[in-house]
Amino acid sequence: MASLFEIPIEHLNGIGSKKGQLYRKLGIDTVGALVRFYPRTYEDWSKPCLIDNAAIGETVCIKATVAQPVSETRISGGRLLATTRAYDESAYIKLTFFNNRYISSMIKTGEEYLFYGKVTGGTGYKEMVSPVFAKPSVGEVIHPIYSQVAGLTTKQIETSVKQAISMLPEVIVDPIPDYIRYKYDLAGLKTALTKIHFPKSMEDVERARRRLIFEELLVLVMGLTSMKNVAKKKSEVVLTADHTDEFVKLLPYTLTKAQRRAIDDCIDDMINKKTAMNRLVQGDVGSGKTMVAAACAYSCVREGFQAAMMAPTEILAAQHYETFAKLFADTSVRTELLTGSMTAKQKRIVLEKLSKGEIDFIVGTHSLISDNVEFSSLGLVITDEQHRFGVRQRSDLLAKGKNPHLLVMSATPIPRTLALMIYGDLDLSIIDELPPGRQTVDTMLIDDSIRLRAYNFLIKNINEGRQCYIVCPAVENNETGLISAVEYAENLKNGSFKDYSVEVLHGKMKASAKDDVMQRFVNGKIDVLVSTTVIEVGVNVPNAVIMMIENADRFGLSQLHQLRGRVGRGEYKSYCILVSNSKGQDARRRLKALCKTNDGFVITDEDLKLRGPGDFFGSRQHGLPELKIADLAENVGILHDAQEAAKSLMDEYNNKDNLLLKGLRAEVRMLFNNVGQQLN
Ligand code: ADP
Ligand code: MG
């Protein structure tokens, strides 16, 4: 099997350099990769249904005899319309083809064919437009359907896959050891690969899928687990004392129990574990993660080490910096900011101080991982809103110290099993409690028809001294017809809000302009901030009480929840207004789910159910490899089995002399190669 991954795809019949390019576009460069290119779905031609039983709108296969010669007419635009009728024992059906000059010679009156297509029609008649067809003798099978690119049809891919499968050796070494296969009742690799492409029944597909999903998850878990082992190196940063009691005296409030627990977990890691801390602090928006970071930084700095915190946006970095600078003003902790938009001179000064150890706590954006950033004694790395960073960026910052401690914070509340999957190399603390006195945010779903009422509601709150956010999905007016934030703000200024201060904030603005707007919003100088999702993460303005979201159906639930988290941060009653004109059932269900609950975990579950895990598990966001067939949200049962199996295999796996698991090691390497992970 492994050797097939060394044979270029162009080796197959009918694939020259041009077709080869197309295959490479699909990520298929070798014969082996083609064998592992699983069908997207199937067309089941194996059990034709009666015309009478085929429902309008359904895509089916029928077996019918052609009743009359094909008649051809030219229609508007010179297009050729070919029609005929066919029947089975239950009914007749009309067949229509466009622009196919050969139909009349391909379909013969009185002969029987399988027709596959969507049934349309009205009362009393049924029709199939442009069905695919074949003779029953060759056609009564299940066809695999592959993802296509222009110039490469699923039929062509099928033909090539057939040849690739025929090249599989008689016996292939299964990466899953036999006893594990028996234990979990899994098909062998060769059977599974053959059947996933060319099943005899849908049961075949199921069995093949289960085996391949198990394998993929096993490989993923093995890879993540071995990374975890690698990451745990001895740290030279060992704290001798916990300074949190001193830290809490700086705060105007008491920490929640959950915050304190998270801090204790971290300090414990940094004092007692001989290996570097690797911890994820996960807490819903507004749960107070920033202070957990501050407490950890404080203890580190008091022990003579530097701490660095990386945030995904300039706005957020600046805001954190202000918070910390104020908090630590009367202490010995010297805090500084480093972002891309600072002038060269400002940066130079900060970098020099940092390398000399004259800065204790640096807050910044991705700028922190630039080559020219040097620390004198980096002891702790904190990344905020971890879901916005790749695993790579995290490790780049870590590389600036001698195996420093790592604290990552995320508001994306993912179910625990999945969190452990994604952050497989991290320990986990969960902040499951909000600071006291938090108001729940009332959420409502409206459509255009009552927009003016909504505006009046905003104005009423502004008259009481509060501020509002309005979020639009796009910056510029684009082809989707969504109104742009810029235009939207103009409309407000000239209309309902002409007596108020309305400003716009979007990602394409210069950093200094963004900062300026944000600063004035923080200072209460702006009543309505019209924004794109740049304000999604972390921004904290307690006086803002309304979050109005236009075209809410364009956003994912978790993203909406994050946006909603921007309000309800102070003592005032807060509201989230979702505006959507979508009539779609799914869209409305999703938005209603959000109106019903403020619990991030419930929302994430709902989001996973309705939308699939793409957003959370995209390889770009996590540096996790892309999965071909497994679905982390859907295949939780198989995932558990794979985790159990991985555990029982780990010792053997780490014993490099054990040749039995050579195949599995090779697969782990292959899966993680794509994301550039370092694996031993
Ligand atoms: P997030 O977890 O979303 O990053 P933040 O750290 O931004 O949340 O905290 C949200 C708000 O709650 C901030 O205004 C912060 O000052 C406040 N806060 C944090 N911890 C507490 C606490 N224990 N008691 C009261 N307010 C708190
Ligand atoms: Mg935060």
Side-chain angles (χ1 to χ4, degrees):
M1 177 75 199
S3 59
L4 289 192
F5 282 92
E6 278 148 32
I7 306 177
I9 188 76
E10 287 82 1
H11 174 87
L12 296 175
N13 296 340
I15 302 182
S17 71
K18 219 161 146 201
K19 280 257 148 56
Q21 285 294 322
L22 295 176
Y23 274 100
R24 281 164 206 279
K25 247 194 215 165
L26 288 170
I28 304 163
D29 48 358
T30 63
V31 174
L34 183 61
V35 171
R36 290 289 197 178
F37 184 66
Y38 308 131
R40 183 169 55 78
T41 179
Y42 300 85
E43 280 180 6
D44 189 352
W45 294 46
S46 69
K47 297 188 197 80
C49 79
L50 291 176
I51 296 171
D52 206 29
N53 293 344
I56 306 267
E58 212 183 339
T59 299
V60 297
C61 178
I62 56 169
K63 191 168 171 181
T65 307
V66 177
Q68 62 198 53
V70 174
S71 83
E72 295 180 342
T73 43
R74 289 267 162 207
I75 53 167
S76 62
R79 292 201 300 163
L80 185 67
L81 176 73
T83 56
T84 184
R85 292 197 323 147
Y87 63 92
D88 64 11
E89 62 189 78
S90 70
Y92 274 88
I93 190 162
K94 184 180 174 191
L95 302 172
T96 305
F97 301 86
F98 288 102
N99 281 339
N100 190 335
R101 283 188 289 138
Y102 307 106
I103 283 295
S104 51
S105 60
M106 290 161 88
I107 296 185
K108 301 222 165 59
T109 311
E111 289 201 13
E112 193 178 48
Y113 300 88
L114 294 167
F115 296 97
Y116 188 95
K118 187 168 167 182
V119 181
T120 54
T123 23
Y125 86 102
K126 283 181 180 164
E127 180 174 2
M128 250 188 204
V129 179
S130 309
V132 192
F133 55 92
K135 295 294 275 180
S137 53
V138 293
E140 251 168 285
V141 295
I142 296 175
H143 288 284
I145 304 296
Y146 299 93
S147 297
Q148 312 174 23
V149 288
L152 200 57
T153 65
T154 174
K155 200 82 212 149
Q156 289 170 319
I157 297 175
E158 183 181 334
T159 310
S160 298
V161 170
K162 211 166 249 163
Q163 195 193 346
I165 290 277
S166 74
M167 290 164 69
L168 284 174
E170 198 60 39
V171 181
I172 48 183
V173 186
D174 199 317
I176 306 181
D178 286 348
Y179 69 92
I180 296 281
R181 274 205 300 120
Y182 295 138
K183 179 163 178 204
Y184 295 97
D185 186 28
L186 302 167
L189 180 57
K190 185 164 179 183
T191 313
L193 288 173
T194 312
K195 296 272 170 77
I196 196 83
H197 292 288
F198 304 109
K200 295 265 184 311
S201 65
M202 289 315 281
E203 288 76 54
D204 277 357
V205 175
E206 257 334 287
R207 209 171 143 65
R209 278 183 63 83
R210 209 171 77 79
R211 140 79 209 212
L212 295 170
I213 289 170
F214 185 100
E215 176 184 335
E216 190 166 48
L217 292 175
L218 179 68
V219 168
L220 180 67
V221 175
M222 297 301 287
L224 289 173
T225 314
S226 52
M227 273 205 284
K228 182 170 181 159
N229 293 339
V230 176
K232 297 244 159 177
K233 276 189 233 143
K234 263 195 177 329
S235 176
E236 290 168 31
V237 186
V238 180
L239 305 197
T240 58
D242 177 0
H243 301 267
T244 307
D245 287 340
E246 215 171 276
F247 169 81
V248 296
K249 292 198 189 115
L250 305 170
L251 296 174
Y253 42 71
T254 337
L255 292 172
T256 63
K257 280 205 196 72
Q259 281 173 312
R260 188 63 205 229
R261 222 171 25 237
I263 294 169
D264 288 347
D265 286 347
C266 296
I267 303 282
D268 188 52
D269 286 353
M270 293 191 283
I271 292 181
N272 293 321
K273 287 235 178 88
K274 292 286 176 270
T275 53
M277 166 166 78
N278 257 311
R279 186 167 291 276
L280 165 67
V281 169
Q282 196 181 76
D284 208 346
V285 283
S287 60
K289 293 184 291 294
T290 316
M291 284 307 141
V292 174
C296 294
Y298 188 78
S299 276
C300 249
V301 170
R302 299 287 281 139
E303 298 273 314
F305 297 103
Q306 291 171 306
M309 177 156 169
M310 182 161 68
T313 64
E314 297 226 342
I315 292 175
L316 198 53
Q319 187 183 290
H320 283 326
Y321 165 70
E322 308 240 312
T323 305
F324 298 142
K326 216 184 279 166
L327 185 68
F328 295 136
D330 299 327
T331 70
S332 60
V333 181
R334 294 160 295 181
T335 308
E336 279 290 350
L337 177 68
L338 181 71
T339 64
S341 66
M342 286 164 48
T343 64
K345 186 170 167 205
Q346 285 172 323
K347 279 188 215 163
R348 204 169 50 239
I349 294 171
V350 169
L351 291 181
E352 200 177 304
K353 286 208 255 164
L354 193 62
S355 64
K356 282 192 189 150
E358 291 166 13
I359 294 172
D360 303 306
F361 188 15
I362 183 108
V363 182
T365 54
H366 300 84
S367 309
L368 288 173
I369 51 181
S370 313
D371 282 342
N372 55 1
V373 177
E374 278 172 34
F375 291 83
S376 70
S377 60
L378 179 60
L380 171 65
V381 164
I382 304 164
T383 58
D384 192 18
E385 306 295 346
Q386 168 62 27
H387 62 289
R388 287 296 188 94
F389 293 107
V391 176
R392 241 305 169 40
Q393 289 166 318
R394 182 170 95 196
S395 59
D396 282 352
L397 185 50
L398 281 174
K400 301 206 175 273
K402 288 191 184 127
N403 202 15
H405 297 292
L406 172 68
L407 169 61
V408 309
M409 305 197 295
S410 181
T412 309
I414 2 177
R416 193 184 161 84
T417 31
L418 298 181
L420 287 173
M421 243 351 255
I422 293 179
Y423 304 112
D425 55 341
L426 295 175
D427 297 311
L428 184 63
S429 299
I430 294 181
I431 308 186
D432 53 4
E433 177 186 4
L434 295 181
R438 266 311 144 69
Q439 314 247 9
T440 53
V441 178
D442 283 354
T443 305
M444 48 212 134
L445 174 60
I446 67 166
D447 60 19
D448 256 335
S449 66
I450 52 170
R451 173 185 304 280
L452 281 183
R453 257 176 67 196
Y455 284 162
N456 284 333
F457 184 64
L458 263 65
I459 288 171
K460 176 175 159 274
N461 279 274
I462 295 169
N463 289 341
E464 288 168 9
R466 305 288 84 77
Q467 295 162 279
C468 309
Y469 296 99
I470 301 181
V471 170
C472 306
V475 187
E476 277 151 25
N477 213 345
N478 54 16
E479 70 285 356
T480 58
L482 299 172
I483 186 154
S484 78
V486 176
E487 208 177 308
Y488 190 103
E490 280 309 308
N491 290 345
L492 290 190
K493 278 187 216 171
N494 299 324
S496 305
F497 290 83
K498 61 177 181 309
D499 299 328
Y500 298 89
S501 130
V502 178
E503 298 257 356
V504 68
L505 182 71
H506 59 76
K508 293 196 179 156
M509 284 161 58
K510 273 220 187 91
S512 56
K514 270 192 276 191
D515 282 349
D516 179 54
V517 169
M518 209 52 223
Q519 203 50 55
R520 282 185 297 127
F521 191 65
V522 171
N523 295 339
K525 300 266 162 40
I526 297 172
D527 300 318
V528 181
L529 185 63
V530 177
S531 164
T532 57
T533 51
V534 289
I535 54 143
E536 178 197 341
V537 282
V539 175
N540 186 33
V541 182
N543 192 47
V545 295
I546 297 180
M547 167 62 68
M548 182 163 167
I549 305 168
E550 294 287 344
N551 295 102
D553 48 283
R554 308 280 303 195
F555 297 98
L557 276 192
S558 298
Q559 203 181 5
L560 290 170
H561 180 60
Q562 289 268 336
L563 286 169
R564 176 169 64 179
R566 297 310 109 217
V567 296
R569 298 190 145 241
E571 58 196 285
Y572 311 106
K573 179 77 201 154
S574 298
Y575 307 89
C576 175
I577 304 172
L578 306 172
V579 188
S580 166
N581 292 319
S582 168
K583 298 273 180 297
Q585 288 256 328
D586 271 4
R588 298 205 76 77
R589 230 183 86 200
R590 290 199 303 126
L591 297 177
K592 287 216 173 110
L594 201 70
C595 297
K596 270 192 269 169
T597 180
N598 274 287
D599 184 330
F601 280 83
V602 173
I603 288 162
T604 307
D605 269 353
E606 193 68 18
D607 215 6
L608 283 169
K609 260 190 247 142
L610 293 173
R611 216 167 50 122
D615 242 33
F616 300 123
F617 306 117
S619 60
R620 251 190 301 135
Q621 294 204 346
H622 297 289
L624 266 197
E626 211 167 308
L627 300 176
K628 285 189 165 64
I629 189 165
D631 178 325
L632 289 172
E634 208 138 275
N635 306 129
V636 176
I638 304 180
L639 174 60
H640 284 310
D641 286 349
Q643 280 170 325
E644 186 185 85
K647 215 177 209 170
S648 70
L649 283 172
M650 211 60 216
D651 281 343
E652 282 179 62
Y653 182 87
N654 286 331
N655 173 8
K656 296 277 154 14
D657 300 330
N658 184 332
L659 296 180
L660 194 68
L661 294 181
K662 212 173 126 211
L664 190 57
R665 277 186 214 108
E667 287 213 18
V668 170
R669 229 174 295 123
M670 201 139 70
L671 183 70
F672 282 85
N673 249 350
N674 303 331
V675 285
Q677 297 291 352
Q678 284 294 309
L679 283 179
N680 56 347

